[in-house]
Amino acid sequence: MRWVWIRHGETDSNREHRYLGHSDVPLNIDGKRQASELAERLSGQIERPDALYASDLLRCMETAQPLADVWDVPIISVPALRELSFGDWELLTYDELMQADCERATRWYDDPFHCCPPNGESLQALGHRVDGWLCKLMDRQQREPNETTVLVAHGGVIRWFQAAWLAKDPRQYWQVDGLKHGEALFAEWDGQRWHRQRLGS
């Protein structure tokens, strides 16, 4: 069983270092270029996958489209693969957040697993959402162990997979080497555990 994780291309909000969770913004010019270049690179490294899943947010769907085109596979949108919701803090920069809500923001930084932005999610909630969907995917794929699945998602979701599934320690969420925009991560299940390998350069 093989999963290819892809982080969506860059958006203007990413470039401006804003907290971008469930806000539905498009890729910028560089993000579209990253998506196209990644699709061209992966088309030479991976045969047509058995499934292509993507977060239903626009930046992931736009990143997935060139992949769908080169492999001729449909995109299956998955709300469970959305980024962490920053709630009322969506699209703020760090400085703006600290000016607007310093006390609560400090508590959140100190314990993001249990604290959450107002009307947003904790890392624990993100993990519960992602784990629930991934476990169902694994259960289905155990019957087809040679399947290759591509998942286009967000930095936070991929970090969770790296920490909780690869390192088997969610507390390593901030210690793992996260993916850059338009970058891919290959993971393979050997029947007992997941192993990782970066694809391409």
mmCIF file with all atom_site columns, all heavy atoms in Angstrom, residues 108 111-116 122-124 171:
data_model
loop_
_atom_site.group_PDB
_atom_site.id
_atom_site.type_symbol
_atom_site.label_atom_id
_atom_site.label_alt_id
_atom_site.label_comp_id
_atom_site.label_asym_id
_atom_site.label_entity_id
_atom_site.label_seq_id
_atom_site.pdbx_PDB_ins_code
_atom_site.Cartn_x
_atom_site.Cartn_y
_atom_site.Cartn_z
_atom_site.occupancy
_atom_site.B_iso_or_equiv
_atom_site.pdbx_formal_charge
_atom_site.auth_seq_id
_atom_site.auth_comp_id
_atom_site.auth_asym_id
_atom_site.auth_atom_id
_atom_site.pdbx_PDB_model_num
ATOM 1  N N   . TRP A 1 108 ? -2.813  29.265 23.459 1.00 0.00 ? 108 TRP A N   1
ATOM 2  C CA  . TRP A 1 108 ? -2.873  28.355 22.313 1.00 0.00 ? 108 TRP A CA  1
ATOM 3  C C   . TRP A 1 108 ? -1.472  27.924 21.892 1.00 0.00 ? 108 TRP A C   1
ATOM 4  O O   . TRP A 1 108 ? -1.218  26.739 21.654 1.00 0.00 ? 108 TRP A O   1
ATOM 5  C CB  . TRP A 1 108 ? -3.610  29.040 21.171 1.00 0.00 ? 108 TRP A CB  1
ATOM 6  C CG  . TRP A 1 108 ? -3.678  28.275 19.898 1.00 0.00 ? 108 TRP A CG  1
ATOM 7  C CD1 . TRP A 1 108 ? -4.152  27.010 19.718 1.00 0.00 ? 108 TRP A CD1 1
ATOM 8  C CD2 . TRP A 1 108 ? -3.276  28.733 18.601 1.00 0.00 ? 108 TRP A CD2 1
ATOM 9  N NE1 . TRP A 1 108 ? -4.078  26.651 18.382 1.00 0.00 ? 108 TRP A NE1 1
ATOM 10 C CE2 . TRP A 1 108 ? -3.538  27.695 17.687 1.00 0.00 ? 108 TRP A CE2 1
ATOM 11 C CE3 . TRP A 1 108 ? -2.730  29.925 18.137 1.00 0.00 ? 108 TRP A CE3 1
ATOM 12 C CZ2 . TRP A 1 108 ? -3.261  27.811 16.322 1.00 0.00 ? 108 TRP A CZ2 1
ATOM 13 C CZ3 . TRP A 1 108 ? -2.467  30.051 16.775 1.00 0.00 ? 108 TRP A CZ3 1
ATOM 14 C CH2 . TRP A 1 108 ? -2.719  29.002 15.894 1.00 0.00 ? 108 TRP A CH2 1
ATOM 15 N N   . ASP A 1 111 ? -0.134  25.317 24.316 1.00 0.00 ? 111 ASP A N   1
ATOM 16 C CA  . ASP A 1 111 ? -0.764  23.989 24.311 1.00 0.00 ? 111 ASP A CA  1
ATOM 17 C C   . ASP A 1 111 ? -1.759  23.872 23.160 1.00 0.00 ? 111 ASP A C   1
ATOM 18 O O   . ASP A 1 111 ? -2.975  23.843 23.363 1.00 0.00 ? 111 ASP A O   1
ATOM 19 C CB  . ASP A 1 111 ? -1.467  23.738 25.644 1.00 0.00 ? 111 ASP A CB  1
ATOM 20 C CG  . ASP A 1 111 ? -2.013  22.312 25.749 1.00 0.00 ? 111 ASP A CG  1
ATOM 21 O OD1 . ASP A 1 111 ? -1.664  21.470 24.887 1.00 0.00 ? 111 ASP A OD1 1
ATOM 22 O OD2 . ASP A 1 111 ? -2.795  22.046 26.677 1.00 0.00 ? 111 ASP A OD2 1
ATOM 23 N N   . PRO A 1 112 ? -1.256  23.794 21.913 1.00 0.00 ? 112 PRO A N   1
ATOM 24 C CA  . PRO A 1 112 ? -2.165  23.728 20.764 1.00 0.00 ? 112 PRO A CA  1
ATOM 25 C C   . PRO A 1 112 ? -2.928  22.412 20.664 1.00 0.00 ? 112 PRO A C   1
ATOM 26 O O   . PRO A 1 112 ? -3.890  22.322 19.900 1.00 0.00 ? 112 PRO A O   1
ATOM 27 C CB  . PRO A 1 112 ? -1.218  23.915 19.571 1.00 0.00 ? 112 PRO A CB  1
ATOM 28 C CG  . PRO A 1 112 ? 0.100   23.397 20.055 1.00 0.00 ? 112 PRO A CG  1
ATOM 29 C CD  . PRO A 1 112 ? 0.161   23.775 21.506 1.00 0.00 ? 112 PRO A CD  1
ATOM 30 N N   . PHE A 1 113 ? -2.501  21.393 21.430 1.00 0.00 ? 113 PHE A N   1
ATOM 31 C CA  . PHE A 1 113 ? -3.213  20.122 21.371 1.00 0.00 ? 113 PHE A CA  1
ATOM 32 C C   . PHE A 1 113 ? -4.576  20.204 22.067 1.00 0.00 ? 113 PHE A C   1
ATOM 33 O O   . PHE A 1 113 ? -5.517  19.517 21.667 1.00 0.00 ? 113 PHE A O   1
ATOM 34 C CB  . PHE A 1 113 ? -2.374  19.005 22.001 1.00 0.00 ? 113 PHE A CB  1
ATOM 35 C CG  . PHE A 1 113 ? -1.299  18.492 21.096 1.00 0.00 ? 113 PHE A CG  1
ATOM 36 C CD1 . PHE A 1 113 ? -0.055  19.090 21.073 1.00 0.00 ? 113 PHE A CD1 1
ATOM 37 C CD2 . PHE A 1 113 ? -1.535  17.434 20.225 1.00 0.00 ? 113 PHE A CD2 1
ATOM 38 C CE1 . PHE A 1 113 ? 0.939   18.643 20.234 1.00 0.00 ? 113 PHE A CE1 1
ATOM 39 C CE2 . PHE A 1 113 ? -0.555  16.978 19.374 1.00 0.00 ? 113 PHE A CE2 1
ATOM 40 C CZ  . PHE A 1 113 ? 0.694   17.584 19.372 1.00 0.00 ? 113 PHE A CZ  1
ATOM 41 N N   . HIS A 1 114 ? -4.663  21.028 23.085 1.00 0.00 ? 114 HIS A N   1
ATOM 42 C CA  . HIS A 1 114 ? -5.913  21.098 23.837 1.00 0.00 ? 114 HIS A CA  1
ATOM 43 C C   . HIS A 1 114 ? -6.599  22.453 23.734 1.00 0.00 ? 114 HIS A C   1
ATOM 44 O O   . HIS A 1 114 ? -7.815  22.534 23.844 1.00 0.00 ? 114 HIS A O   1
ATOM 45 C CB  . HIS A 1 114 ? -5.662  20.751 25.309 1.00 0.00 ? 114 HIS A CB  1
ATOM 46 C CG  . HIS A 1 114 ? -5.087  19.381 25.499 1.00 0.00 ? 114 HIS A CG  1
ATOM 47 N ND1 . HIS A 1 114 ? -3.759  19.157 25.776 1.00 0.00 ? 114 HIS A ND1 1
ATOM 48 C CD2 . HIS A 1 114 ? -5.663  18.157 25.415 1.00 0.00 ? 114 HIS A CD2 1
ATOM 49 C CE1 . HIS A 1 114 ? -3.535  17.850 25.871 1.00 0.00 ? 114 HIS A CE1 1
ATOM 50 N NE2 . HIS A 1 114 ? -4.676  17.220 25.653 1.00 0.00 ? 114 HIS A NE2 1
ATOM 51 N N   . CYS A 1 115 ? -5.838  23.516 23.543 1.00 0.00 ? 115 CYS A N   1
ATOM 52 C CA  . CYS A 1 115 ? -6.432  24.840 23.354 1.00 0.00 ? 115 CYS A CA  1
ATOM 53 C C   . CYS A 1 115 ? -6.712  25.056 21.870 1.00 0.00 ? 115 CYS A C   1
ATOM 54 O O   . CYS A 1 115 ? -6.070  24.461 21.012 1.00 0.00 ? 115 CYS A O   1
ATOM 55 C CB  . CYS A 1 115 ? -5.478  25.924 23.866 1.00 0.00 ? 115 CYS A CB  1
ATOM 56 S SG  . CYS A 1 115 ? -5.173  25.850 25.638 1.00 0.00 ? 115 CYS A SG  1
ATOM 57 N N   . CYS A 1 116 ? -7.661  25.905 21.589 1.00 0.00 ? 116 CYS A N   1
ATOM 58 C CA  . CYS A 1 116 ? -7.993  26.154 20.181 1.00 0.00 ? 116 CYS A CA  1
ATOM 59 C C   . CYS A 1 116 ? -8.362  27.621 19.988 1.00 0.00 ? 116 CYS A C   1
ATOM 60 O O   . CYS A 1 116 ? -8.779  28.301 20.940 1.00 0.00 ? 116 CYS A O   1
ATOM 61 C CB  . CYS A 1 116 ? -9.124  25.254 19.708 1.00 0.00 ? 116 CYS A CB  1
ATOM 62 S SG  . CYS A 1 116 ? -10.672 25.455 20.583 1.00 0.00 ? 116 CYS A SG  1
ATOM 63 N N   . SER A 1 122 ? -8.493  22.547 17.895 1.00 0.00 ? 122 SER A N   1
ATOM 64 C CA  . SER A 1 122 ? -7.215  22.188 18.504 1.00 0.00 ? 122 SER A CA  1
ATOM 65 C C   . SER A 1 122 ? -6.518  21.173 17.601 1.00 0.00 ? 122 SER A C   1
ATOM 66 O O   . SER A 1 122 ? -7.136  20.578 16.702 1.00 0.00 ? 122 SER A O   1
ATOM 67 C CB  . SER A 1 122 ? -7.442  21.573 19.890 1.00 0.00 ? 122 SER A CB  1
ATOM 68 O OG  . SER A 1 122 ? -8.137  20.339 19.758 1.00 0.00 ? 122 SER A OG  1
ATOM 69 N N   . LEU A 1 123 ? -5.233  20.951 17.840 1.00 0.00 ? 123 LEU A N   1
ATOM 70 C CA  . LEU A 1 123 ? -4.537  19.912 17.085 1.00 0.00 ? 123 LEU A CA  1
ATOM 71 C C   . LEU A 1 123 ? -5.130  18.536 17.374 1.00 0.00 ? 123 LEU A C   1
ATOM 72 O O   . LEU A 1 123 ? -5.161  17.672 16.504 1.00 0.00 ? 123 LEU A O   1
ATOM 73 C CB  . LEU A 1 123 ? -3.049  19.913 17.430 1.00 0.00 ? 123 LEU A CB  1
ATOM 74 C CG  . LEU A 1 123 ? -2.189  21.001 16.785 1.00 0.00 ? 123 LEU A CG  1
ATOM 75 C CD1 . LEU A 1 123 ? -0.739  20.845 17.197 1.00 0.00 ? 123 LEU A CD1 1
ATOM 76 C CD2 . LEU A 1 123 ? -2.311  20.962 15.263 1.00 0.00 ? 123 LEU A CD2 1
ATOM 77 N N   . GLN A 1 124 ? -5.597  18.339 18.589 1.00 0.00 ? 124 GLN A N   1
ATOM 78 C CA  . GLN A 1 124 ? -6.244  17.075 18.926 1.00 0.00 ? 124 GLN A CA  1
ATOM 79 C C   . GLN A 1 124 ? -7.490  16.863 18.064 1.00 0.00 ? 124 GLN A C   1
ATOM 80 O O   . GLN A 1 124 ? -7.735  15.751 17.575 1.00 0.00 ? 124 GLN A O   1
ATOM 81 C CB  . GLN A 1 124 ? -6.605  17.058 20.409 1.00 0.00 ? 124 GLN A CB  1
ATOM 82 C CG  . GLN A 1 124 ? -7.054  15.717 20.932 1.00 0.00 ? 124 GLN A CG  1
ATOM 83 C CD  . GLN A 1 124 ? -7.242  15.742 22.437 1.00 0.00 ? 124 GLN A CD  1
ATOM 84 O OE1 . GLN A 1 124 ? -8.092  16.474 22.956 1.00 0.00 ? 124 GLN A OE1 1
ATOM 85 N NE2 . GLN A 1 124 ? -6.450  14.971 23.147 1.00 0.00 ? 124 GLN A NE2 1
ATOM 86 N N   . ARG A 1 171 ? 3.137   14.179 19.489 1.00 0.00 ? 171 ARG A N   1
ATOM 87 C CA  . ARG A 1 171 ? 3.831   15.298 20.122 1.00 0.00 ? 171 ARG A CA  1
ATOM 88 C C   . ARG A 1 171 ? 5.018   15.784 19.285 1.00 0.00 ? 171 ARG A C   1
ATOM 89 O O   . ARG A 1 171 ? 5.595   16.836 19.566 1.00 0.00 ? 171 ARG A O   1
ATOM 90 C CB  . ARG A 1 171 ? 4.313   14.888 21.510 1.00 0.00 ? 171 ARG A CB  1
ATOM 91 C CG  . ARG A 1 171 ? 3.170   14.717 22.499 1.00 0.00 ? 171 ARG A CG  1
ATOM 92 C CD  . ARG A 1 171 ? 2.610   16.065 22.927 1.00 0.00 ? 171 ARG A CD  1
ATOM 93 N NE  . ARG A 1 171 ? 1.351   15.945 23.654 1.00 0.00 ? 171 ARG A NE  1
ATOM 94 C CZ  . ARG A 1 171 ? 0.672   16.973 24.134 1.00 0.00 ? 171 ARG A CZ  1
ATOM 95 N NH1 . ARG A 1 171 ? 1.119   18.197 23.953 1.00 0.00 ? 171 ARG A NH1 1
ATOM 96 N NH2 . ARG A 1 171 ? -0.461  16.793 24.761 1.00 0.00 ? 171 ARG A NH2 1
#
